[in-house]
């Protein structure tokens, strides 16, 4: 890997907020160290709330990190 290429760290969550609440500190540390960070949530969280609200909250939380 050349010095100009950043490594990517990939986080997977089952529900909206799993990544932010479960490993938000690790996400923030990876960003601070200069890694590319990619996140994916496997469901919309519709079983426990309005999916659009939960998705927007998740995006807002990850953007803050």
């Amino acid at each position: 890997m050349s010095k100009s290429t950043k490594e990517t760290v990939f986080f997977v969550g089952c529900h909206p907020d799993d990544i932010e609440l479960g490993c938000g500190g690790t996400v923030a540390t990876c960003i601070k160290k200069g890694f590319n960070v990619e996140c994916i949530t496997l469901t919309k969280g519709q079983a426990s709330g309005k999916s659009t609200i939960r998705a927007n909250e998740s995006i807002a939380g990850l953007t803050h990190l």
Side-chain angles (χ1 to χ4, degrees):
M1 183 170 98
S2 70
K3 291 188 183 238
S4 64
T5 303
K6 290 183 177 182
E7 291 187 47
T8 299
V9 181
F10 192 69
F11 294 90
V12 179
C14 293
H15 314 99
D17 81 13
D18 284 355
I19 297 171
E20 305 90 310
L21 295 176
C23 54
T26 303
V27 171
T29 299
C30 289
I31 293 168
K32 186 176 181 180
K33 290 186 175 188
F35 292 101
N36 288 320
V37 173
E38 299 288 336
C39 300
I40 186 169
T41 302
L42 301 176
T43 66
K44 295 178 183 177
Q46 64 274 19
S48 61
K50 234 180 174 175
S51 59
T52 54
I53 291 172
R54 294 196 68 201
N56 288 336
E57 290 174 342
S58 180
I59 291 167
L62 288 169
T63 300
H64 182 74
L65 291 173

